[in-house]
Amino acid sequence: MPKNKIPEPTEAINYVKRKLPVPTGKWDQLRMGEHVHAFTVAHSIGAAIVDDIFKIMAKSMEEGTGLGAFKRDMRRIMAEKGWYGRPDKTAKDKKYINRRLDTIYQTNILTAYSAGETRGMLRTAHLYPYWQYQQVQRNTKRQNHSAFHGLILRYDDPFWATGTPPNGWRCQCYRNQLSESQAKTLGGPTGIPQGVDMNSSIPKEWRYDPGREMIAPNFTRYDALKKIKYKGKSALSEIIATYRKEMTGYQLTQAEWNIYISNLPDKSLPAKRLYADAPMMFSTLRTDAAEAIGEDVKLIIKDRSVIHGARIRRASDGSLADVSLSINDMKNTPRKVADPEAIYKDNATGNLVFRYGVDKMHDIKAIFLPGRKLTSLMLHTFFKTRRGALDEDRRYSRIYIRK
């Protein structure tokens, strides 16, 4: 990756250090996003070596010692453990060992930088909302990645969920970040050229965005980590606990919220054990509304509340109900709840209810649980309701109306 395209290393270092080392028989035993949260090396089951490799990798990233130092430390550990990459390999297989160490190092370095890059680019997406795919022009470049070279798409275009580089072993493709005017000057936004097949251009195990999976993991997809044991319990439960600790109190930007929404389970509410329940700040209530109920009111969400609001609702005959929220309804939530048309107190529960219009027939009813001293409110759930219904219901007392 060209030097001037590498983001500040802090995010990349954190990406590696936060992983949970788990032994596996094959590298692809973990699927796509699972690699973001777990560190593994093929043929590590029974070798008692994955923890050692993880520590060496983390040290290399944190101290910036490079590939040479990584290889020296790895060869020492390999000699001590009698592990040389595969059960059928020995210290004499120097060519294989050297290639294997290169692969381990390059794979983790490139995905770490990609994850850190995504996080940084999402935080500045309000200024630079377009991303441009770039391929290093070299003699050994992959022809099936050349079709993406110069591609310009918004940060939240579905392409980046599966097309964010690296897109294969030792792939050195990368992204540029562009303002709207820069994108137009370069002829963007563009589309994927006709006839390009994503499935044949990018191997299945590489079709994910490490940074997206860091901030918006869909734990319902992590089937392998559910089965792997870590200290007597599921590795997934440990990973969820780590994610909860990392994200508690984190302030989502609008771009991060959009990615968070697009990566949620889309069919039904998952089992309770698949919730992270990390309270994250996603908006701030407008001043006059905040003064009506408190001061500087921060609006907080947890994943179960968002999933509850996002779930598909059906009418009694099984058809889609008109109260289901669209993806745009979901993306607009931070802006809309920050500027509600009215706020009510639920006289039965004490909860606060925000109302804002979503179309001519419906309002959004967002129910918030009051936090300590009313300086924060936790979103409990939100859904469409008939326009005007709240004002007609004596259960609710209006305490604010937007002027």
Side-chain angles (χ1 to χ4, degrees), residues 194-241:
Q194 273 191 324
V196 174
D197 181 10
M198 291 284 288
N199 293 336
S200 60
S201 298
I202 304 174
K204 183 177 180 180
E205 61 269 26
W206 289 95
R207 288 180 222 146
Y208 70 102
D209 177 1
R212 175 186 295 252
E213 290 291 339
M214 275 183 74
I215 198 168
N218 185 338
F219 294 120
T220 63
R221 294 196 303 245
Y222 296 174
D223 294 328
L225 288 171
K226 293 177 194 175
K227 301 172 185 176
I228 295 174
K229 294 296 182 182
Y230 180 83
K231 295 183 179 180
K233 57 184 180 180
S234 164
L236 181 59
S237 65
E238 183 73 17
I239 285 167
I240 290 175

Side-chain angles (χ1 to χ4, degrees), residues 21 39 41 47-59 70 73-74 76-78 80-81 83:
F39 177 90
V41 177
I49 195 162
V50 70
D51 283 337
D52 296 296
I53 300 175
F54 175 70
K55 290 174 183 176
I56 292 171
M57 190 74 242
K59 174 187 173 184
F70 173 78
D73 288 342
M74 278 297 301
R76 173 180 55 79
I77 290 295
M78 293 169 103
E80 291 175 3
K81 302 280 185 174
W83 180 87

Side-chain angles (χ1 to χ4, degrees), residues 216-318:
N218 185 338
F219 294 120
T220 63
R221 294 196 303 245
Y222 296 174
D223 294 328
L225 288 171
K226 293 177 194 175
K227 301 172 185 176
I228 295 174
K229 294 296 182 182
Y230 180 83
K231 295 183 179 180
K233 57 184 180 180
S234 164
L236 181 59
S237 65
E238 183 73 17
I239 285 167
I240 290 175
T242 297
Y243 175 82
R244 182 186 303 119
K245 183 178 179 181
E246 288 176 350
M247 300 304 290
T248 294
Y250 185 82
Q251 183 171 347
L252 293 166
T253 65
Q254 180 66 53
E256 288 172 324
W257 170 265
N258 290 350
I259 297 303
Y260 186 79
I261 290 299
S262 65
N263 219 34
L264 289 173
D266 59 1
K267 291 185 179 180
S268 61
L269 296 177
K272 183 177 180 180
R273 61 189 173 83
L274 295 180
Y275 290 115
D277 269 347
M280 295 178 284
M281 179 178 169
F282 76 112
S283 196
T284 304
L285 188 59
R286 60 179 286 161
T287 303
D288 62 336
E291 288 174 350
I293 59 174
E295 293 185 6
D296 298 327
V297 179
K298 299 177 175 64
L299 303 180
I300 311 296
I301 59 100
K302 289 184 178 181
D303 55 355
R304 70 172 63 232
S305 303
V306 181
I307 294 169
H308 191 274
R311 79 187 193 279
I312 296 172
R313 292 170 168 82
R314 295 184 178 275
S316 57
D317 62 359

Side-chain angles (χ1 to χ4, degrees), residues 31-34 36 114 118 122 131 133 148 151 153-167 175 192 198-199 202-216 218 221-222 258-264 331:
R31 300 291 183 176
M32 297 181 289
E34 292 181 305
V36 171
S114 177
T118 292
L122 286 175
W131 295 354
Y133 193 107
F148 304 134
L151 184 69
L153 297 167
R154 268 182 60 91
Y155 71 88
D156 54 357
D157 189 279
F159 169 83
W160 300 112
T162 55
T164 291
N167 285 320
R175 290 164 292 173
I192 301 173
M198 291 284 288
N199 293 336
I202 304 174
K204 183 177 180 180
E205 61 269 26
W206 289 95
R207 288 180 222 146
Y208 70 102
D209 177 1
R212 175 186 295 252
E213 290 291 339
M214 275 183 74
I215 198 168
N218 185 338
R221 294 196 303 245
Y222 296 174
N258 290 350
I259 297 303
Y260 186 79
I261 290 299
S262 65
N263 219 34
L264 289 173
K331 288 182 177 181

Side-chain angles (χ1 to χ4, degrees), residues 84-151:
Y84 295 99
R86 286 200 329 228
D88 61 336
K89 296 298 180 182
T90 68
K92 294 180 180 180
D93 296 294
K94 294 181 180 179
K95 185 176 180 180
Y96 170 82
I97 292 170
N98 190 60
R99 186 173 70 251
R100 183 73 187 279
L101 294 180
D102 278 348
T103 299
I104 293 172
Y105 184 83
Q106 294 291 342
T107 298
N108 283 279
I109 289 289
L110 291 172
T111 53
Y113 278 128
S114 177
E117 188 176 58
T118 292
R119 295 294 295 271
M121 291 166 76
L122 286 175
R123 283 194 283 267
T124 55
H126 60 293
L127 299 174
Y128 305 98
Y130 289 93
W131 295 354
Q132 182 185 42
Y133 193 107
Q134 291 284 300
Q135 181 185 40
V136 176
Q137 299 303 297
R138 56 182 181 174
N139 293 334
T140 56
K141 69 179 182 181
R142 292 171 170 84
Q143 292 305 314
N144 55 5
H145 291 181
S146 295
F148 304 134
H149 181 62
L151 184 69

